Amino acid sequence: MEKTAENPQEEIQADMYLKPKFKISWQVIFAVLMFFYMYLPILVLTFYSFNKSRFSAGWEGFTLDWYVKLFSDTRILVALRNSLTVAVCAVAISAVLGTLMAVGLARYRFPGKSLYQGVSYLPIIIPDIATAVATLVFLAALAIPLSLWTIVAAHIVFCLAYIALAVSTRLADLNPYLEEAALDLGATPVEAFIQVLLPQLIPGIVSGCLLSFVLSMDDFLIASFTAGSGTTTLPMEIFSRIRTGVKPDINALSVLLIVGSGGLAFLAEYLRGRGEQKRAH
Amino acid sequence: MAVSTRTPPPIPPNSPLKAETVSPWSAWTGPLTLLGPSGLLLLLLLVIPTLVIFQLSLVPNIKPGDLVNPSGIGNYLRVFEPLNLQVMGRSLFFATGTTILCLLLGFPVAYWIALNVSKKWRNLTLLGFVLPLWTSSLLRSYAWITILRPTGVLNSLLALVGIPPLELLNQSSAVLIGMAYSYLPYIVTILYASLEKLDRRLLEASQDLGANPVETFWKVTVPQTMPGIAAGSLLVFISSLGDFVDPELLGGASSMTAARLIYNQFLGATQNWGLGSALSMVLIFAVSIGIALLLKYGDRNAI
């Protein structure tokens, strides 16, 4: 945000010339409409979560009943606990491995590096269904029983990719001489890594972790392939409930999840923005 | 896997700063500690599993009434049976439709944020647009059910104005509305990155030389942002090709897509892992073509 334009004067001039001709009002109207499109589902869910009526689209009075109902629903709570366990474990392991991987990829050249890099970013682009199928078939081939931990293993793969991506973006903007200076001043490589490099990487690591946490909490397909019959995660529970009809307590759950992940998104963006500001000074 | 443990060469006291060689780690310990664990994990959980489904896709599936195909490509031949081909075609249709919709809806928004919003507010506006992406995709689809169902929000609003109710849910239109919604933030982010780099002096020059805004747009803006347009479109296309949730929840019974077909082969009633693996391989192959195009024509920096 704080980055100045390469040539500020030019920017101002261009603005002066262009503003009157390019600030066509239909653009503003269109953009506002699109913002409305993006927030409409969220507004609707919030509206219904406080609406007394179970079915009608009209407002029939304010109620918190759906929230109360939600918190006494053990199946939802168990599913939530499972999802949180999976997300926390997968993100914690991926944070360590992903950071090491990003640093390693930035630092070393070796034969097959581009292949390694390609494979590590593959989970971001390959459809979830393909990842899910591959993991299930592999687990079945090794006769590994499905459980909460097989979901964790499957989630690590894509969390790893997102965290490594966030860290390597940050690495690319760092001053490499700081770590070298530490080494010259007698720090061991491990000390230099922990005391010099790691603190600088923290914003990247944290925003990568927040993003992969949200993605792990949101994953339906991979979890349903690797969960086995006894385990249910929150998205699996939500999916089966949506399929069986419209339930107002799901609206309440949506609002809570939206508030939670919206908060995480702001935190991630704030950390990213603060990192950029620090660099600019 | 023997890691050499010889002592590192001493660093000369007044050596000039030389990046890679400073590390006193031996040539192998560093890369192995940093890249080994993730590499092993990726090998075990991604590379080998993909090879396993490839192998499985070649196991001929012998069932009463099936053609026995000893060459092992029987599963792939089944992918091209009319019924399965229709499903793949529907996936392609949804992906293409989503891409076009996202481009049409996303470009003006990205353009507006990149060129008309003041520098101070640009990041915040973009964040505001992308924020809904962070919420659960299942619940966003669920919200669209609430909006589009016969007695839903949209029809209630239409009734107020006196317009007869629309039958949108469980149709292709609902799937396209939901999918365009899901991928719009992605394309806006990528197009924005591309439009922000636009050389405004060229727009100005084009105006000075007498071009009207439409001409300037097609002859200056679009060619300059083409890599971003290519990257955004391909990314939306690739992701929507394997989408499961939106078609499943919004499209109703007649909207089976590739992802659902694969799902059925593994977890549904059909239970044919060979065919399912072959379908997955076809999907991976289709997506790989997309990635190849993305790397060739797309703006890598924008992604």
Short mmCIF file of all heavy atoms in Angstrom, two decimals, chain A residues 1-2 170 199 202-203 206 266-281:
data_model
loop_
_atom_site.label_atom_id
_atom_site.label_comp_id
_atom_site.label_asym_id
_atom_site.label_seq_id
_atom_site.Cartn_x
_atom_site.Cartn_y
_atom_site.Cartn_z
N MET A 1 0.82 -1.20 0.00
CA MET A 1 0.00 0.00 0.00
C MET A 1 0.86 1.26 0.00
O MET A 1 0.52 2.25 -0.61
CB MET A 1 -0.89 0.00 1.23
CG MET A 1 -2.29 -0.45 0.90
SD MET A 1 -3.46 0.04 2.15
CE MET A 1 -3.17 -1.17 3.39
N GLU A 2 2.01 1.13 0.68
CA GLU A 2 2.84 2.32 0.85
C GLU A 2 3.77 2.52 -0.34
O GLU A 2 4.48 3.51 -0.40
CB GLU A 2 3.66 2.18 2.12
CG GLU A 2 2.83 2.15 3.37
CD GLU A 2 2.34 3.52 3.77
OE1 GLU A 2 3.17 4.34 4.14
OE2 GLU A 2 1.11 3.76 3.70
N ARG A 170 7.10 -14.33 0.01
CA ARG A 170 7.74 -13.44 0.98
C ARG A 170 9.27 -13.50 0.85
O ARG A 170 9.94 -12.48 0.89
CB ARG A 170 7.29 -13.86 2.38
CG ARG A 170 7.89 -13.10 3.48
CD ARG A 170 6.85 -12.36 4.30
NE ARG A 170 7.55 -11.52 5.26
CZ ARG A 170 7.64 -10.22 5.16
NH1 ARG A 170 7.03 -9.59 4.18
NH2 ARG A 170 8.30 -9.52 6.06
N PRO A 199 12.09 -14.89 11.66
CA PRO A 199 11.26 -13.74 12.03
C PRO A 199 10.78 -12.95 10.81
O PRO A 199 9.67 -12.43 10.80
CB PRO A 199 12.20 -12.89 12.89
CG PRO A 199 13.21 -13.84 13.41
CD PRO A 199 13.38 -14.88 12.35
N ILE A 202 7.79 -14.80 9.15
CA ILE A 202 6.57 -15.04 9.93
C ILE A 202 5.28 -14.53 9.26
O ILE A 202 4.31 -15.29 9.17
CB ILE A 202 6.71 -14.48 11.37
CG1 ILE A 202 7.66 -15.37 12.19
CG2 ILE A 202 5.37 -14.37 12.08
CD1 ILE A 202 7.14 -16.74 12.53
N PRO A 203 5.25 -13.29 8.74
CA PRO A 203 3.98 -12.85 8.12
C PRO A 203 3.54 -13.78 6.99
O PRO A 203 2.36 -14.11 6.90
CB PRO A 203 4.31 -11.46 7.58
CG PRO A 203 5.47 -11.01 8.38
CD PRO A 203 6.26 -12.23 8.71
N VAL A 206 2.30 -17.08 8.57
CA VAL A 206 0.99 -16.95 9.22
C VAL A 206 -0.12 -16.79 8.18
O VAL A 206 -1.16 -17.45 8.28
CB VAL A 206 0.98 -15.78 10.22
CG1 VAL A 206 -0.41 -15.55 10.76
CG2 VAL A 206 1.94 -16.05 11.36
N PHE A 266 -9.27 -11.06 7.41
CA PHE A 266 -8.80 -9.73 7.74
C PHE A 266 -7.42 -9.80 8.39
O PHE A 266 -6.52 -9.03 8.06
CB PHE A 266 -9.78 -9.02 8.68
CG PHE A 266 -10.67 -8.06 7.96
CD1 PHE A 266 -12.04 -8.24 7.95
CD2 PHE A 266 -10.12 -6.98 7.27
CE1 PHE A 266 -12.86 -7.36 7.26
CE2 PHE A 266 -10.93 -6.10 6.58
CZ PHE A 266 -12.30 -6.29 6.58
N LEU A 267 -7.26 -10.78 9.29
CA LEU A 267 -5.99 -10.95 9.98
C LEU A 267 -4.88 -11.24 8.97
O LEU A 267 -3.80 -10.63 9.01
CB LEU A 267 -6.11 -12.10 10.98
CG LEU A 267 -4.98 -12.28 11.96
CD1 LEU A 267 -4.86 -11.05 12.84
CD2 LEU A 267 -5.22 -13.52 12.82
N ALA A 268 -5.17 -12.16 8.03
CA ALA A 268 -4.18 -12.53 7.02
C ALA A 268 -3.79 -11.31 6.19
O ALA A 268 -2.61 -11.05 5.95
CB ALA A 268 -4.73 -13.63 6.12
N GLU A 269 -4.80 -10.55 5.78
CA GLU A 269 -4.55 -9.38 4.93
C GLU A 269 -3.79 -8.30 5.71
O GLU A 269 -2.88 -7.66 5.20
CB GLU A 269 -5.89 -8.84 4.42
CG GLU A 269 -5.78 -7.76 3.39
CD GLU A 269 -5.01 -8.20 2.15
OE1 GLU A 269 -4.92 -9.42 1.90
OE2 GLU A 269 -4.49 -7.33 1.46
N TYR A 270 -4.16 -8.15 6.99
CA TYR A 270 -3.50 -7.17 7.84
C TYR A 270 -2.02 -7.50 7.98
O TYR A 270 -1.15 -6.63 7.83
CB TYR A 270 -4.19 -7.15 9.20
CG TYR A 270 -3.47 -6.34 10.26
CD1 TYR A 270 -3.49 -4.94 10.21
CD2 TYR A 270 -2.76 -6.96 11.27
CE1 TYR A 270 -2.83 -4.19 11.17
CE2 TYR A 270 -2.10 -6.22 12.23
CZ TYR A 270 -2.13 -4.84 12.18
OH TYR A 270 -1.47 -4.11 13.12
N LEU A 271 -1.72 -8.78 8.22
CA LEU A 271 -0.33 -9.21 8.37
C LEU A 271 0.45 -9.00 7.09
O LEU A 271 1.58 -8.55 7.09
CB LEU A 271 -0.27 -10.68 8.78
CG LEU A 271 -0.70 -10.95 10.22
CD1 LEU A 271 -0.90 -12.44 10.43
CD2 LEU A 271 0.36 -10.42 11.19
N ARG A 272 -0.21 -9.30 5.96
CA ARG A 272 0.44 -9.14 4.67
C ARG A 272 0.72 -7.66 4.42
O ARG A 272 1.81 -7.26 4.03
CB ARG A 272 -0.45 -9.69 3.56
CG ARG A 272 0.28 -10.22 2.37
CD ARG A 272 -0.71 -10.79 1.37
NE ARG A 272 -1.67 -9.77 0.95
CZ ARG A 272 -1.40 -8.88 0.00
NH1 ARG A 272 -0.24 -8.87 -0.59
NH2 ARG A 272 -2.30 -7.98 -0.35
N GLY A 273 -0.29 -6.83 4.72
CA GLY A 273 -0.14 -5.40 4.53
C GLY A 273 0.95 -4.83 5.42
O GLY A 273 1.75 -4.01 4.97
N ARG A 274 1.01 -5.31 6.67
CA ARG A 274 2.01 -4.80 7.60
C ARG A 274 3.41 -5.19 7.12
O ARG A 274 4.35 -4.42 7.20
CB ARG A 274 1.77 -5.34 9.00
CG ARG A 274 2.20 -4.36 10.06
CD ARG A 274 1.87 -4.90 11.42
NE ARG A 274 2.47 -6.22 11.61
CZ ARG A 274 2.63 -6.76 12.81
NH1 ARG A 274 2.23 -6.12 13.89
NH2 ARG A 274 3.16 -7.95 12.93
N GLY A 275 3.53 -6.42 6.60
CA GLY A 275 4.81 -6.87 6.05
C GLY A 275 5.26 -5.96 4.93
O GLY A 275 6.42 -5.55 4.87
N GLU A 276 4.31 -5.60 4.05
CA GLU A 276 4.65 -4.74 2.93
C GLU A 276 5.07 -3.35 3.40
O GLU A 276 6.00 -2.77 2.89
CB GLU A 276 3.46 -4.61 1.98
CG GLU A 276 3.53 -5.63 0.88
CD GLU A 276 2.31 -5.59 -0.01
OE1 GLU A 276 1.62 -4.56 -0.04
OE2 GLU A 276 2.05 -6.61 -0.66
N GLN A 277 4.37 -2.84 4.42
CA GLN A 277 4.69 -1.51 4.94
C GLN A 277 6.09 -1.47 5.51
O GLN A 277 6.86 -0.58 5.24
CB GLN A 277 3.69 -1.12 6.03
CG GLN A 277 2.50 -0.38 5.48
CD GLN A 277 1.55 0.00 6.58
OE1 GLN A 277 1.93 0.07 7.73
NE2 GLN A 277 0.32 0.27 6.20
N LYS A 278 6.41 -2.53 6.28
CA LYS A 278 7.74 -2.60 6.90
C LYS A 278 8.82 -2.54 5.84
O LYS A 278 9.83 -1.89 6.01
CB LYS A 278 7.86 -3.90 7.69
CG LYS A 278 7.64 -3.72 9.17
CD LYS A 278 8.05 -4.97 9.90
CE LYS A 278 7.68 -4.88 11.35
NZ LYS A 278 7.70 -6.18 11.99
N ARG A 279 8.56 -3.24 4.74
CA ARG A 279 9.54 -3.29 3.69
C ARG A 279 9.73 -1.93 3.04
O ARG A 279 10.82 -1.55 2.66
CB ARG A 279 9.09 -4.30 2.64
CG ARG A 279 10.15 -5.28 2.36
CD ARG A 279 9.82 -6.30 1.31
NE ARG A 279 8.65 -6.10 0.52
CZ ARG A 279 7.57 -6.86 0.61
NH1 ARG A 279 7.51 -7.79 1.51
NH2 ARG A 279 6.56 -6.67 -0.18
N ALA A 280 8.63 -1.20 2.95
CA ALA A 280 8.68 0.08 2.25
C ALA A 280 9.45 1.13 3.05
O ALA A 280 10.00 2.06 2.49
CB ALA A 280 7.27 0.56 1.95
N HIS A 281 9.48 0.98 4.37
CA HIS A 281 10.15 2.01 5.17
C HIS A 281 11.67 1.85 5.14
O HIS A 281 12.15 0.74 5.07
CB HIS A 281 9.67 1.91 6.63
CG HIS A 281 8.26 2.43 6.76
ND1 HIS A 281 7.86 3.60 6.17
CD2 HIS A 281 7.17 1.93 7.35
CE1 HIS A 281 6.58 3.79 6.42
NE2 HIS A 281 6.14 2.78 7.13
#
